[in-house]
Amino acid sequence: MEAVSGLEGELEELRETFRSGKTKEATWRRSQLQALLSLLREREGEILEALKQDIGKHPVESYRDEIGTLAKSVNYALGGLKQWMSSKKAKLPIVAFPATAELVPEPLGLVLIISSWNFPFGLSLEPLIGAIGAGNVVVIKPSELAPASASVLANTVHSYLDNKAVKVIQGGPSVVDQLLQQKWDKILFTGSASVGKIVMTEAAKHLTPVILELGGKCPAVVDELSSSWDIEMTIRRILAGKFGTCAGQACIGIDYILVEKKFESTLVQQMKVFIKKLFGEDPKETNSIARIINKNHLMRLKNLLDEPLVKASIVYGGSIDEDHLFIEPTILVDPPLKAAIMNEEIFGPLLPIITLEKIEDCIEFIKSRPKPLTIYAFTKNEKLKRRLISETSSGSLTFNDAIIQYAADSLPFGGVGESGFGRYHGKFSFDAFTHEKAVLKRTFLTDFWFRLPPWNDHKLELFRSMYRYDYLDVLLITLGIKKSKKP
């Protein structure tokens, strides 16, 4: 669909498909996941070209971060689907005998996925895996800022998946507005906090539950490391987690570094060396770093650097090519903490380093700011690790690496506080779009006569014992061996 003309009819078709019950069948769910695998395999070239056209990603980066991770996730879902769909027995107290109980997973219904431009396939199809695996019907609204990717998504999803159950609707903010006026059973939104507030406000009008993936300023704590190997691994992983992941335009990318003053010069010196080793003398020519998505975002980043005290803190890079929408990797040391670059999510290849008197000060620094989507910490100090786990709050916490937690199917992806709420990935994606219905079955054989009126002190005493699961007491009171106490 290119526009929202006939939107009501399109959504009614989706609802009718859901009401028919076919999306609840395991065969349908498996067929759609298999079709998604075929899409990723057979249309790989188109996907890679679209990502290059929209944001200048190198094909290997695109495969690593989007096609490869998606194929892995589909296979994981196919392997676990039978178990995920199965009912789970629930324990009941003896007092309920004879009775059985279970939790029955059922799909929510009509789901809306609003994705972002930085990972246009991953952020559209990763939640789709969970949504169709759970048996829902889905509308995907890709970002208009990545038009080539949105077009490929629309064409391929229509060709490979059941288009009476999964639809892609393209368009700009006005299309999002119209979609949000509709009644959904769940909405998953990835993007900025400002738009997330709008999504949540509109969803509240229909009491629609939402998952918001918003991001924030993700810190990397770098402890003083003595081993040259540890230092090299730390720097490689930081640089790849910042500049090598969509040029820093990633919600889980490293936003800034916290380091002790005495270790800062070593860190910066080594970072300068490894930037050239990883990305080449001219990253723009080697195509090893993606470009900025558009002129507006580039000018926003340029304005962050143009503050005089911020510009004075640049120790590496800072070059901006407006014609090619490219900013070279840029390192800053101790820009003013009140500057915009230290208060807004950077979302670009600018990396401030903030020095501390001692590394333990990082905990109070992080706690004084909004809860981030993730915290990275490079350290061998077990006490510091324990303190970061117990004293800070974030969507995730990764030690001695960056970004890798996103690819782990066994870990949920999601924020906390201002970085968002709700989670998905792996089984968590299935759960995100599932309602676990509580089902209890009893017979007509026996009943606890004292649970019904008329009331008396004897029944009250029986209730006191029963809610303590003191069955011996219940028996003694019932038989008259133990007398009831007057209230």
Side-chain angles (χ1 to χ4, degrees), residues 381-425:
N381 183 330
E382 294 301 323
K383 182 179 179 182
L384 180 61
K385 289 179 185 179
R386 289 193 297 271
R387 288 194 63 193
L388 283 165
I389 292 170
S390 64
E391 297 181 37
T392 66
S393 179
S394 56
S396 63
L397 171 58
T398 297
F399 291 105
N400 301 326
D401 213 328
I403 308 297
I404 196 169
Q405 78 280 2
Y406 179 87
D409 294 307
S410 57
L411 293 176
F413 172 67
V416 61
E418 292 182 33
S419 59
F421 50 81
R423 56 188 190 171
Y424 68 110
H425 280 207

Side-chain angles (χ1 to χ4, degrees), residues 333-353:
V333 174
D334 284 328
L337 295 182
K338 292 185 178 180
I341 197 169
M342 286 308 299
N343 289 279
E344 299 175 10
E345 185 177 9
I346 295 171
F347 227 67
L350 315 179
L351 182 57
I353 297 174

Side-chain angles (χ1 to χ4, degrees), residues 71-376:
K72 169 193 61 64
S73 296
V74 176
N75 282 318
Y76 185 83
L78 284 167
L81 191 60
K82 182 178 179 180
Q83 181 183 355
W84 299 351
M85 290 177 63
S86 301
S87 300
K88 302 179 204 168
K89 288 187 177 180
K91 290 184 178 180
L92 291 173
I94 296 174
V95 71
F97 181 83
T100 60
E102 60 183 348
L103 298 174
V104 179
E106 62 179 19
L108 297 175
L110 180 58
V111 169
L112 173 62
I113 297 169
I114 305 174
S115 64
S116 184
W117 50 262
N118 50 342
F119 299 92
F121 293 93
L123 296 176
S124 298
L125 300 181
E126 186 74 49
L128 177 69
I129 294 167
I132 59 177
N136 297 278
V137 292
V138 184
V139 169
I140 298 172
K141 166 57 184 74
S143 173
E144 73 281 4
L145 299 184
S149 298
S151 178
V152 170
L153 265 172
N155 294 332
T156 56
V157 167
H158 179 80
S159 300
Y160 283 79
L161 301 183
D162 182 348
N163 54 52
K164 291 186 177 181
V166 182
K167 297 182 184 293
V168 176
I169 297 181
Q170 299 185 74
S174 63
V175 172
V176 175
D177 291 342
Q178 292 178 62
L179 288 170
L180 291 176
Q181 301 307 311
Q182 307 299 316
K183 173 72 174 76
W184 305 91
D185 294 296
K186 192 147 195 181
I187 298 173
L188 186 147
F189 167 79
T190 304
S192 67
S194 58
V195 179
K197 291 176 182 177
I198 295 171
V199 171
M200 195 170 177
T201 299
E202 295 303 317
K205 295 176 182 178
H206 299 286
L207 297 179
T208 298
V210 297
I211 295 174
L212 299 181
E213 301 292 352
L214 306 178
K217 294 184 75 64
C218 301
V221 177
V222 181
D223 199 358
E224 184 176 8
L225 301 166
S226 55
S227 162
S228 60
W229 174 259
D230 293 344
I231 294 171
E232 179 178 336
M233 286 298 100
T234 293
I235 290 171
R236 284 181 178 273
R237 291 169 182 177
I238 286 174
L239 295 178
K242 176 63 174 182
F243 306 118
T245 306
C246 198
Q249 299 168 109
C251 58
I252 56 170
I254 295 170
D255 191 276
Y256 63 93
I257 290 174
L258 297 173
V259 66
E260 283 187 350
K261 282 184 179 179
K262 63 183 180 181
F263 192 59
E264 173 263 318
S265 60
T266 300
L267 181 66
V268 171
Q269 181 184 2
Q270 291 298 308
M271 288 177 77
K272 291 177 180 179
V273 172
F274 281 99
I275 284 175
K276 293 181 179 179
K277 286 187 177 182
L278 290 177
F279 306 113
E281 291 289 337
D282 187 348
K284 183 173 63 176
E285 293 300 320
T286 58
N287 189 216
S288 53
I289 295 179
R291 63 171 172 79
I292 307 306
I293 184 66
N294 58 31
K295 190 69 174 285
N296 286 339
H297 281 271
L298 183 133
M299 295 311 295
R300 177 186 62 81
L301 292 165
K302 183 176 183 296
N303 290 337
L304 292 180
L305 287 181
D306 280 346
E307 290 187 43
L309 292 178
V310 172
K311 184 171 285 188
S313 70
I314 297 174
V315 297
Y316 183 89
S319 174
I320 298 176
D321 184 341
E322 294 185 23
D323 293 334
H324 294 91
L325 298 176
F326 188 84
I327 300 178
E328 70 172 321
T330 300
I331 301 172
L332 310 91
V333 174
D334 284 328
L337 295 182
K338 292 185 178 180
I341 197 169
M342 286 308 299
N343 289 279
E344 299 175 10
E345 185 177 9
I346 295 171
F347 227 67
L350 315 179
L351 182 57
I353 297 174
I354 305 300
T355 61
L356 308 169
E357 290 299 326
K358 57 182 188 295
I359 198 63
E360 290 77 13
D361 294 342
C362 70
I363 292 174
E364 287 305 317
F365 189 97
I366 293 169
K367 286 168 65 177
S368 69
R369 292 166 174 259
K371 296 176 182 179
L373 183 56
T374 190
I375 296 171
Y376 301 106

